[in-house]
Amino acid sequence: MTAASEPHVAPPLIELPIKTASRGFYDGFIRAVAIPSKVIVSLLIMWAIFFPVRANETLEAANSRIITSFAGWYVYLVAFLMLACFVLALVPQSGRLRIGNAGEKPEFGRFSWFSMLFGAGIGIGMLTYSTGEPLSHFANNPEIIRGAVAAESVEAVRPAYTYTFLHWGFAAWGTYALVGLAIGYVAYRRNLPLTVRSALAPLFGLKLSGLWGHLIDIVAVVATLLGVAVTMGLGVEQFVAGLARLGLGDWLLDSDGSSSALAIMMALLILVGASTLSALSGVGRGIKWLSNLNMVLSALLLALFLIVGSGLYGLRVLGVGLWDYLRTLVPNSLTLFGGGNPIGEALVQWQLDWSVFYWAWWIAFAPFVGMFIARISRGRTIREYVLGVILVPSLMCFMWMAIVGGTAIDLELSGMAEGRILETGISDQLYATLAVLLGPVSTMIASGLVVVLLLTYLITSTDSAILIVNTINGAGESEGSRRRHIIFWGMALALMVGSMLVLGGIDAIRITMIIGALPFSFVVAIMAIAILKAVAYDLRRNRHGVPTTAEAVEDASMGNLPHS
């Protein structure tokens, strides 16, 4: 049968009109998205600054209720996102579909593509948690809670890495990949705006041009800012700890070892100022250059641990950890601990503190990282995209955790560290590992490298987030006059992170992010259904000879057919 005799096989929707301002301060922006987003973020900042005690109490109460009630939702949602990505990549017909027009070539080479994926997606957290997470699970994990292994023992290392890899592997990158694919697929194949609402167009069509589309984009903007705020908070604390290690003054730390308010504001002024300047230069210049620099500096630091640290031990941990991770991926991804006795309650609390926090963090980070990945992935096939976005960065994270964290664990197991790494705060553990491993002069040089690397990662993540927020506010347009708005969002991020760190430390930012991630988690679930429908319908169109890209629809002059 021909396409003409199959009226129910219609070409895809290739237009999603979104009204933007044509003049004034918000020229080129969606006022109904940009203004409410700014108001919500401004109210959050003022609440934290002017009512710190009440804000802290409210956050803790809301966090306890939300994270307990929705733990299962987060666990099963992230498992579903991973499954959807691998199904789309591994089914031959869908894996061959291109994120763009037929024969279109990628804008960026693979090295720059991987560099930008890694720098924007997870670099800062990796520096903080490369030692911090393996050491934390080395001291306490579900196997230790059950009494199967002893804390801080040789036997505790394998489960420590099973759970470390669980949190930093396919779950994180599968969430990012799904969101990026859902946005990029319809933006580059169907010529829809590069914005979050477009990802839902396969389900809701032109209804997204109005109020519902505006609400989705507002939720995405707020979630993005809160997710980036957690990353910036972690980075700022480690940045200040590094400056203190370099001997830049006692004023950097309070008496309890945490970052002082003055140090936090100074660090934010430097970091957000540099990020804003980089954001003004755009993706193709500042962000690409910084991402490549990040990769080079990361490789140097990793090489240092391989050569001078416990490289062979780390590689053994990597091999065993990969095997344990892959063989337990399905049950661990679907396990939801239950209470009823002291051991059960301890397991529930561990999962809330670690796995559920991470799933919320990845979801809150997903509109930013997903849109950024979509922006840099045009022209790649679904298979290349999914495998590249999930497998390569996951393996890089595993290498970091195994070699850097493995060195820290080996130093503790051998007695060389004498507890100096385990007993320090998570922001200082990487520097503490270097101090045990190296002499005074070498430690200073290596710590300086970490500080510089943190600075570049922070700048890359923050300027990418600012550009993505402006892209959402601009109905998918990233070009044009955005300078005043770039400066606003840079200042807003600095004030949000600074006020929350002073209010209650990194925990206050974490709690705010978990609460903010919940609304967007429902959007992500719908996005997964939408991309599965979009791909399935395109495969059906291909079988009936119906065009599946905007370019092909226009060439075939079939734009007057009904849309689906």
Side-chain angles (χ1 to χ4, degrees), residues 372-417:
F372 184 75
I373 293 173
R375 166 67 183 82
I376 63 175
S377 299
R378 181 169 188 163
R380 301 191 184 276
T381 64
I382 289 180
R383 182 174 297 111
E384 181 186 15
Y385 168 90
V386 169
L387 297 182
V389 171
I390 294 180
L391 298 184
V392 176
S394 292
L395 186 58
M396 282 293 294
C397 287
F398 296 162
M399 288 178 62
W400 264 88
M401 300 290 181
I403 293 167
V404 179
T407 296
I409 289 175
D410 191 39
L411 292 172
E412 290 289 357
L413 285 173
S414 67
M416 285 183 62

Coordinates of all heavy atoms in Angstrom, one line a residue, residues 372-417:
F372 N 22.2 20.0 27.2 CA 23.6 20.2 26.7 C 24.1 19.1 25.8 O 24.7 19.3 24.8 CB 24.5 20.4 27.9 CG 26.0 20.8 27.5 CD1 26.2 22.1 27.1 CD2 27.0 19.9 27.6 CE1 27.5 22.4 26.7 CE2 28.3 20.2 27.2 CZ 28.5 21.5 26.8
I373 N 23.8 17.8 26.3 CA 24.2 16.7 25.4 C 23.5 16.7 24.1 O 24.1 16.5 23.0 CB 24.0 15.4 26.2 CG1 24.9 15.2 27.4 CG2 24.1 14.2 25.3 CD1 24.6 14.0 28.3
A374 N 22.2 17.1 24.1 CA 21.5 17.2 22.9 C 22.1 18.2 22.0 O 22.2 18.0 20.8 CB 20.0 17.5 23.2
R375 N 22.5 19.4 22.6 CA 23.1 20.5 21.8 C 24.3 20.0 21.1 O 24.6 20.5 20.0 CB 23.3 21.6 22.8 CG 24.3 22.7 22.2 CD 23.6 23.5 21.1 NE 24.5 24.5 20.6 CZ 25.5 24.3 19.7 NH1 25.7 23.1 19.2 NH2 26.3 25.3 19.3
I376 N 25.1 19.2 21.7 CA 26.4 18.8 21.1 C 26.4 17.5 20.4 O 27.5 17.0 19.9 CB 27.5 18.8 22.2 CG1 27.3 17.7 23.2 CG2 27.7 20.1 22.8 CD1 28.4 17.5 24.3
S377 N 25.2 16.8 20.2 CA 25.2 15.5 19.7 C 24.4 15.4 18.4 O 24.2 14.2 17.9 CB 24.5 14.5 20.7 OG 25.3 14.5 21.9
R378 N 24.1 16.5 17.8 CA 23.4 16.4 16.5 C 24.2 15.7 15.4 O 25.5 15.8 15.3 CB 23.2 17.8 16.0 CG 22.4 17.9 14.7 CD 21.9 19.3 14.3 NE 21.0 19.2 13.1 CZ 20.2 20.2 12.8 NH1 20.1 21.3 13.5 NH2 19.5 20.1 11.7
G379 N 23.6 14.8 14.7 CA 24.2 14.1 13.6 C 24.6 12.7 14.0 O 25.0 11.9 13.1
R380 N 24.5 12.3 15.2 CA 24.9 10.9 15.7 C 23.7 10.0 15.6 O 22.6 10.4 15.8 CB 25.5 10.9 17.1 CG 26.8 11.9 17.1 CD 27.5 11.7 18.4 NE 28.6 12.7 18.4 CZ 29.8 12.5 17.9 NH1 30.1 11.4 17.2 NH2 30.7 13.4 17.9
T381 N 24.0 8.7 15.4 CA 22.9 7.7 15.4 C 22.5 7.5 16.9 O 23.2 7.8 17.8 CB 23.3 6.4 14.8 OG1 24.3 5.8 15.6 CG2 23.8 6.6 13.4
I382 N 21.3 6.9 17.1 CA 20.8 6.6 18.4 C 21.8 5.7 19.1 O 22.1 5.8 20.3 CB 19.4 6.1 18.4 CG1 18.4 7.2 18.1 CG2 19.0 5.5 19.8 CD1 16.9 6.7 18.0
R383 N 22.2 4.7 18.4 CA 23.2 3.7 19.0 C 24.5 4.3 19.4 O 24.9 4.1 20.5 CB 23.4 2.5 18.0 CG 24.3 1.5 18.6 CD 24.5 0.3 17.6 NE 23.2 -0.4 17.4 CZ 22.5 -0.3 16.3 NH1 23.0 0.3 15.2 NH2 21.4 -0.9 16.2
E384 N 25.1 5.1 18.5 CA 26.3 5.8 18.9 C 26.1 6.8 20.0 O 26.9 6.8 20.9 CB 26.8 6.6 17.6 CG 28.1 7.3 17.9 CD 28.6 8.2 16.7 OE1 27.7 8.4 15.8 OE2 29.7 8.6 16.7
Y385 N 25.0 7.5 20.0 CA 24.7 8.4 21.1 C 24.5 7.7 22.4 O 25.2 8.1 23.4 CB 23.4 9.2 20.7 CG 22.8 10.0 21.8 CD1 23.2 11.3 22.0 CD2 21.9 9.4 22.7 CE1 22.6 12.1 23.1 CE2 21.4 10.2 23.8 CZ 21.8 11.5 23.9 OH 21.2 12.2 25.0
V386 N 23.7 6.7 22.5 CA 23.4 6.0 23.8 C 24.7 5.4 24.3 O 25.0 5.5 25.5 CB 22.2 5.0 23.6 CG1 22.1 4.2 24.9 CG2 20.9 5.8 23.4
L387 N 25.3 4.6 23.5 CA 26.5 3.9 23.9 C 27.6 4.9 24.3 O 28.4 4.7 25.3 CB 27.0 2.9 22.9 CG 26.0 1.8 22.6 CD1 26.6 0.8 21.5 CD2 25.6 1.0 23.8
G388 N 27.8 5.9 23.5 CA 28.8 6.9 23.8 C 28.5 7.7 25.1 O 29.4 7.9 25.9
V389 N 27.2 8.1 25.3 CA 26.9 8.9 26.5 C 26.9 8.0 27.7 O 27.2 8.5 28.8 CB 25.5 9.5 26.3 CG1 25.0 10.2 27.6 CG2 25.6 10.6 25.2
I390 N 26.5 6.7 27.6 CA 26.4 5.9 28.8 C 27.7 5.2 29.1 O 28.2 5.2 30.3 CB 25.3 4.9 28.7 CG1 23.9 5.6 28.7 CG2 25.3 3.9 29.9 CD1 22.7 4.7 28.6
L391 N 28.3 4.5 28.2 CA 29.4 3.6 28.4 C 30.7 4.3 28.7 O 31.4 4.0 29.7 CB 29.6 2.6 27.3 CG 28.4 1.7 27.0 CD1 28.8 0.7 25.9 CD2 28.0 0.9 28.3
V392 N 31.1 5.3 27.8 CA 32.4 5.9 28.0 C 32.5 6.8 29.2 O 33.5 6.6 30.0 CB 32.7 6.8 26.7 CG1 34.0 7.5 26.9 CG2 32.8 5.9 25.5
P393 N 31.6 7.7 29.5 CA 31.7 8.4 30.8 C 31.6 7.5 32.0 O 32.3 7.8 33.0 CB 30.6 9.4 30.7 CG 30.2 9.6 29.3 CD 30.5 8.2 28.7
S394 N 30.8 6.5 32.0 CA 30.7 5.5 33.1 C 32.0 4.9 33.4 O 32.5 4.8 34.5 CB 29.6 4.5 32.9 OG 28.3 5.0 32.8
L395 N 32.7 4.4 32.3 CA 34.0 3.8 32.4 C 35.0 4.7 33.0 O 35.9 4.4 33.8 CB 34.4 3.2 31.1 CG 35.7 2.4 31.2 CD1 35.6 1.2 32.1 CD2 36.1 1.9 29.7
M396 N 35.0 6.0 32.6 CA 35.9 7.0 33.1 C 35.7 7.2 34.6 O 36.6 7.3 35.4 CB 35.7 8.3 32.3 CG 36.4 8.4 31.0 SD 38.2 8.3 31.1 CE 38.5 9.9 31.9
C397 N 34.4 7.3 35.0 CA 34.1 7.4 36.4 C 34.6 6.2 37.2 O 35.2 6.4 38.3 CB 32.6 7.6 36.6 SG 31.9 9.2 36.1
F398 N 34.4 5.0 36.7 CA 34.8 3.8 37.3 C 36.4 3.8 37.5 O 36.9 3.4 38.6 CB 34.4 2.6 36.6 CG 32.9 2.4 36.4 CD1 32.4 1.5 35.5 CD2 32.1 3.0 37.3 CE1 31.0 1.3 35.4 CE2 30.7 2.8 37.2 CZ 30.2 2.0 36.3
M399 N 37.1 4.2 36.5 CA 38.5 4.3 36.5 C 39.0 5.3 37.6 O 39.9 5.0 38.4 CB 39.1 4.7 35.2 CG 39.1 3.7 34.1 SD 39.7 4.3 32.5 CE 41.5 4.6 33.0
W400 N 38.4 6.4 37.7 CA 38.7 7.4 38.7 C 38.4 6.9 40.1 O 39.3 7.0 41.0 CB 37.9 8.7 38.5 CG 38.6 9.7 37.7 CD1 38.7 9.9 36.4 CD2 39.4 10.8 38.3 NE1 39.5 10.9 36.0 CE2 39.9 11.5 37.2 CE3 39.8 11.1 39.6 CZ2 40.8 12.6 37.3 CZ3 40.6 12.2 39.7 CH2 41.1 12.9 38.6
M401 N 37.2 6.3 40.3 CA 36.9 5.8 41.6 C 37.8 4.7 42.1 O 38.2 4.6 43.2 CB 35.4 5.3 41.6 CG 34.4 6.4 41.3 SD 34.2 7.6 42.5 CE 32.9 8.6 41.8
A402 N 38.2 3.8 41.1 CA 39.0 2.6 41.4 C 40.4 3.0 41.7 O 41.1 2.6 42.7 CB 38.9 1.6 40.3
I403 N 41.0 3.9 40.9 CA 42.4 4.2 41.0 C 42.7 5.2 42.1 O 43.6 5.1 42.9 CB 43.0 4.7 39.6 CG1 43.0 3.5 38.6 CG2 44.4 5.2 39.8 CD1 43.2 3.9 37.2
V404 N 41.9 6.3 42.1 CA 42.1 7.4 43.1 C 41.6 6.9 44.5 O 42.3 6.9 45.5 CB 41.4 8.7 42.7 CG1 41.6 9.7 43.8 CG2 42.0 9.2 41.4
G405 N 40.3 6.4 44.5 CA 39.7 5.9 45.7 C 40.5 4.6 46.2 O 40.6 4.4 47.4
G406 N 40.9 3.8 45.3 CA 41.6 2.6 45.6 C 42.9 2.9 46.3 O 43.4 2.2 47.2
T407 N 43.6 3.9 45.8 CA 44.8 4.4 46.5 C 44.6 4.8 47.9 O 45.3 4.4 48.8 CB 45.5 5.5 45.7 OG1 45.9 5.1 44.4 CG2 46.7 6.1 46.4
A408 N 43.5 5.6 48.1 CA 43.2 6.0 49.5 C 42.9 4.8 50.4 O 43.3 4.7 51.5 CB 42.0 6.9 49.5
I409 N 42.1 3.8 49.9 CA 41.8 2.6 50.7 C 43.0 1.8 51.0 O 43.2 1.3 52.1 CB 40.7 1.8 50.0 CG1 39.3 2.5 50.0 CG2 40.6 0.4 50.6 CD1 38.3 1.8 49.2
D410 N 43.9 1.6 50.0 CA 45.1 0.9 50.1 C 46.0 1.5 51.2 O 46.6 0.8 52.0 CB 45.8 0.8 48.8 CG 47.0 -0.2 48.8 OD1 46.8 -1.3 49.5 OD2 48.0 0.0 48.2
L411 N 46.1 2.8 51.2 CA 46.9 3.5 52.2 C 46.4 3.3 53.6 O 47.1 3.2 54.6 CB 47.0 5.0 51.9 CG 47.7 5.4 50.6 CD1 47.5 6.9 50.3 CD2 49.2 5.1 50.8
E412 N 45.0 3.3 53.7 CA 44.4 3.0 55.0 C 44.6 1.5 55.4 O 44.9 1.2 56.6 CB 42.9 3.4 55.0 CG 42.7 4.8 54.9 CD 43.0 5.6 56.2 OE1 43.4 4.9 57.2 OE2 42.8 6.8 56.3
L413 N 44.4 0.6 54.5 CA 44.6 -0.8 54.8 C 46.0 -1.2 55.2 O 46.2 -2.0 56.1 CB 44.1 -1.7 53.6 CG 42.6 -1.8 53.4 CD1 42.4 -2.5 52.1 CD2 42.0 -2.6 54.5
S414 N 47.0 -0.5 54.5 CA 48.4 -0.8 54.8 C 48.9 -0.2 56.1 O 50.0 -0.5 56.6 CB 49.3 -0.3 53.7 OG 49.2 1.1 53.6
G415 N 48.1 0.8 56.6 CA 48.5 1.5 57.9 C 49.3 2.7 57.6 O 49.6 3.5 58.6
M416 N 49.6 3.0 56.3 CA 50.4 4.2 56.0 C 49.7 5.5 56.4 O 50.2 6.5 56.9 CB 50.8 4.3 54.6 CG 51.9 3.3 54.2 SD 52.4 3.5 52.4 CE 52.9 5.2 52.4
A417 N 48.4 5.5 56.1 CA 47.6 6.7 56.4 C 47.2 6.9 57.8 O 47.0 8.1 58.3 CB 46.3 6.6 55.6

